[in-house]
Amino acid sequence: MRLGVLDIGSNTGHLLVVDAHRGAAPLPAYSYKEPLRLAEHLDETGSVSQQGIDALAAFTAGAQRVAEEKGCEDMLAFATSAVRDSGNGDSVLAEVRERTGLSIAVLSGEDEARLTFLAVRRWLGWSAGRLWVFDIGGGSLEIAGGADEFPEIAGSLPLGAARLARQHFTVDQPDEDAVRQVRKEIRAEIARDAGRLLRHGAPDHAAATSKTFRSLARICGAAPSGEGPLVQRSLPLSALVEWIPKLTAMTREELSGLPGVSPSRAHQILPGALVAEAVMDIFELSALEICPWALREGVILERLDQIGDLT
């Protein structure tokens, strides 16, 4: 069957059209996306602004047209932390539903981590053993771990790259004291509940997914996306540690010239790097394998499993 998966993230609205059936890998057929930047369309009360709502409604209407043109039988629409954590999330989605007719579900942070873990588990397989998975989104950091298809531990922290950029990195080339303070806050947030994952023992495999991790891996020497998803890619901690002072000293224009970094996300690379470094340091990981599957694939896989259970 052909499915449309509409992912309303903190950075981007993304419709992924896939051909999928149970027991097979979802095959991407078409992609339609726009940089909504909902995490940056928050007013002083933490609510999504009318400008952000208008952008979301317009994108949703356009995505529906694309899905119809591409022959989608069903649309799976969900929103993550930008809407979940906003002060007016319910009214935002109610207005979008009134203007477009589409209901968008809000995933909890735990569900986001759980479904991302499912996608990574299916990609890496059972040979990965006990698995840890990390995902830096625009609004949150998801952490999950376990030995099965669904994690024993799944949680979300307010450490997304766009959120941190908006809160702490509003100017080019922040000074060392500012970076040190943000680094301290990030590490305290991650370490607060690190024991939930660590008490189950070290993983056999540690993986990361998301645009931020992929960009950081590319900066640190991983193969470009044009070489395909089957090429193994990793993010070594040693390389990242060497790059962070360089990223701190760069202007946004210089950052956008780095491999794997788009101009719209250049200001998020440094905070994303600080989160990635903290994750690997606190959980004592020398490297993370980059997985091409993430939340969208997890949503698709769970949907296909549900269909199969009904037949």
Side-chain angles (χ1 to χ4, degrees):
M1 65 186 301
R2 177 160 283 196
L3 295 172
V5 184
L6 185 61
D7 176 358
I8 305 301
S10 299
N11 281 311
T12 306
H14 189 174
L15 170 69
L16 182 64
V17 176
V18 297
D19 292 319
H21 63 271
R22 197 177 189 205
L27 181 64
Y30 192 79
S31 177
Y32 169 73
K33 57 186 176 180
E34 288 185 7
L36 297 177
R37 296 187 186 177
L38 290 181
E40 298 174 26
H41 278 296
L42 300 177
D43 60 24
E44 61 278 2
T45 69
S47 298
V48 179
S49 66
Q50 189 60 49
Q51 182 182 3
I53 296 171
D54 291 341
L56 175 55
F59 171 75
T60 300
Q64 287 175 288
R65 290 192 294 271
V66 171
E68 291 171 4
E69 291 169 359
K70 298 301 177 182
C72 292
E73 299 178 45
D74 196 5
M75 175 86 86
L76 309 177
F78 62 89
T80 54
S81 62
V83 175
R84 180 173 69 234
D85 298 337
S86 68
N88 62 337
D90 290 343
S91 61
V92 168
L93 297 184
E95 182 170 339
V96 171
R97 182 170 60 250
E98 182 179 347
R99 292 166 64 172
T100 67
L102 182 68
S103 294
I104 299 174
V106 178
L107 292 181
S108 68
E110 182 177 340
D111 278 343
E112 197 173 337
R114 176 181 62 82
L115 290 167
T116 300
F117 184 91
L118 172 64
V120 177
R121 168 62 76 191
R122 293 278 179 94
W123 179 269
L124 294 177
W126 293 110
S127 63
R130 176 166 291 279
L131 180 63
W132 286 359
V133 174
F134 305 92
D135 183 333
I136 303 173
S140 58
L141 164 69
E142 273 65 53
I143 299 175
D148 299 322
E149 279 212 322
F150 293 104
E152 299 158 355
I153 301 298
S156 179
L157 299 174
L159 296 175
R163 184 195 296 265
L164 293 172
R166 185 185 74 251
Q167 292 175 341
H168 303 288
F169 296 97
T170 57
V171 298
D172 268 3
Q173 299 171 287
D175 62 53
E176 291 185 8
D177 288 341
V179 173
R180 187 180 302 112
Q181 181 60 34
V182 176
R183 185 174 183 270
K184 176 182 175 181
E185 292 177 12
I186 289 170
R187 287 168 175 259
E189 184 73 45
I190 294 172
R192 186 174 295 121
D193 289 325
R196 294 179 62 221
L197 191 63
L198 290 169
R199 70 169 54 97
H200 291 278
D204 299 303
H205 211 94
T209 186
S210 78
K211 176 66 174 176
T212 296
F213 272 120
R214 291 197 303 271
S215 296
L216 291 170
R218 182 75 182 93
I219 290 170
C220 292
S225 59
E227 294 190 16
L230 299 182
V231 175
Q232 281 201 335
R233 297 172 176 86
S234 66
L235 175 62
L237 176 58
S238 58
L240 182 61
V241 168
E242 290 182 4
W243 263 101
I244 286 177
K246 302 175 189 176
L247 298 176
T248 303
M250 288 182 175
T251 65
R252 290 188 184 180
E253 183 177 359
E254 290 170 331
L255 289 168
S256 65
L258 292 172
V261 180
S262 62
S264 65
R265 290 177 181 256
H267 63 301
Q268 299 178 22
I269 285 299
L270 176 57
L274 294 175
V275 174
E277 178 199 32
V279 162
M280 286 190 278
D281 197 5
I282 289 170
F283 290 105
E284 300 182 352
L285 301 168
S286 60
L288 291 168
E289 180 172 348
I290 305 301
C291 177
W293 278 8
L295 177 59
R296 281 185 293 275
E297 286 78 13
V299 169
I300 294 165
L301 291 166
E302 183 173 67
R303 171 67 167 165
L304 293 175
D305 287 349
Q306 292 169 347
I307 293 172
D309 290 340
L310 295 175
T311 57

